[in-house]
Amino acid sequence: MSKLTACPSLTKTHPAYDGHTGAMLRDALEALGIVHHVDQPWRGLPTEYLVCSVPGRAQVWIHCVADPSARTPEGRRFADHYDLPTVALRAVAAMVTDDESTRFVFNGFGDEHEPTASAGMQAGQCAAALAEHFGLTMSEPEYTCLHCARVIEWIEADGQGAWHDSSNWIGCVDGESLHAPEPLCGWCEDYGLIEVFDDSTDALKGHTTCDNAPCVARRIMRSNQAERERQAAQAQAAAHECTGPLCCPPF
């Protein structure tokens, strides 16, 4: 009679984390061209910060506040850190100390001291707030071709346009495919919305706003920039003085 031996269970003992705030924050900051590095100002504490800066401006320090009810697989509470599992995040915060004061550049807490959005949304909102604080403007994103990976740009011609590469070619290197832009956001394909399907029937139930951090950051920064341009145009129009009957439409 053979002796039965116990075999190890193949069941995972700890669930895998679905993401970390450090990667989300880095991606969102890089999408807006914000220079950042990691710093640990107090060597006796485990807290590390993401530090963002532009020349001539005070540095902005980003950290993430851990949810006090969240626990590690070993049962310990999470310490505040810039790189937390998203399941343990309570809020993202960005602080600056300059000649004026010490203040929030971004505060992920709402009026009731509760998180205002998901981890991805907070990371994107934080990056956009830093871009606004530093006075950065949104540059045109660089697209690469989905087929041949060459850098392409959209060129208008006679009311229509096409994607061209640096050699002014519309077609890919293989000569069979037209250039097509690779989406900047792999979650929503740059549409800003994600389709939501029913778990049982796979029927389309609706849409939800994409909360991929770089997508959120670009969306907010574009909106802020468009609003500034609108206000500037409005102020310019209000300050304009007509010089004659044919100066301004309608004539």
Side-chain angles (χ1 to χ4, degrees):
M1 187 176 199
S2 61
K3 184 178 180 180
L4 296 177
T5 58
C7 64
S9 172
L10 299 180
T11 304
K12 291 183 178 180
T13 56
H14 303 310
Y17 295 130
D18 58 349
H20 282 74
T21 57
M24 292 181 174
L25 286 165
R26 287 179 180 276
D27 289 345
L29 294 169
E30 289 169 3
L32 301 185
I34 300 175
V35 178
H36 57 278
H37 68 278
V38 177
D39 193 8
Q40 183 179 2
W42 300 283
R43 301 304 173 189
L45 297 177
T47 302
E48 290 180 316
Y49 292 78
L50 270 183
V51 185
C52 306
S53 61
V54 298
R57 298 291 299 274
Q59 295 178 330
V60 177
W61 296 69
I62 303 175
H63 77 290
C64 298
V65 180
D67 186 337
S69 64
R71 293 291 186 273
T72 68
E74 295 75 26
R76 296 192 298 269
R77 291 179 58 178
F78 286 90
D80 293 349
H81 196 275
Y82 86 91
D83 190 20
L84 288 174
T86 55
V87 294
L89 175 69
R90 190 175 185 194
V92 177
M95 303 284 294
V96 64
T97 300
D98 54 20
D99 295 338
E100 298 178 13
S101 63
T102 296
R103 62 193 184 280
F104 282 108
V105 174
F106 175 78
N107 182 6
F109 287 107
D111 295 336
E112 302 300 324
H113 302 289
E114 292 297 329
T116 58
S118 67
M121 289 289 287
Q122 286 196 55
Q125 292 167 350
C126 180
L130 263 68
E132 187 84 10
H133 170 76
F134 287 135
L136 302 178
T137 57
M138 188 74 192
S139 59
E140 286 298 320
E142 184 176 89
Y143 285 95
T144 58
C145 178
L146 188 64
H147 308 301
C148 66
R150 299 187 72 172
V151 176
I152 56 176
E153 62 175 336
W154 181 262
I155 299 178
E156 289 286 346
D158 299 329
Q160 297 180 342
W163 290 97
H164 295 250
D165 61 28
S166 58
S167 300
N168 205 30
W169 293 346
I170 298 177
C172 291
V173 177
D174 58 15
E176 297 180 359
S177 304
L178 293 178
H179 288 305
E182 185 173 9
L184 297 175
C185 178
W187 291 18
C188 68
E189 306 296 310
D190 294 342
Y191 286 103
L193 297 173
I194 296 177
E195 295 179 333
V196 179
F197 296 92
D198 187 271
D199 294 336
S200 300
T201 65
D202 287 337
L204 179 63
K205 297 195 301 183
H207 297 80
T208 183
T209 303
C210 179
D211 63 352
N212 187 13
C215 188
V216 173
R218 282 190 294 263
R219 183 167 63 242
I220 295 174
M221 192 170 178
R222 285 195 184 101
S223 176
N224 292 343
Q225 188 167 323
E227 177 61 19
R228 288 195 300 269
E229 292 173 356
R230 186 194 68 80
Q231 292 179 359
Q234 191 175 35
Q236 184 178 6
H240 176 73
E241 295 182 2
C242 290
T243 58
L246 299 180
C247 177
C248 299
F251 300 125

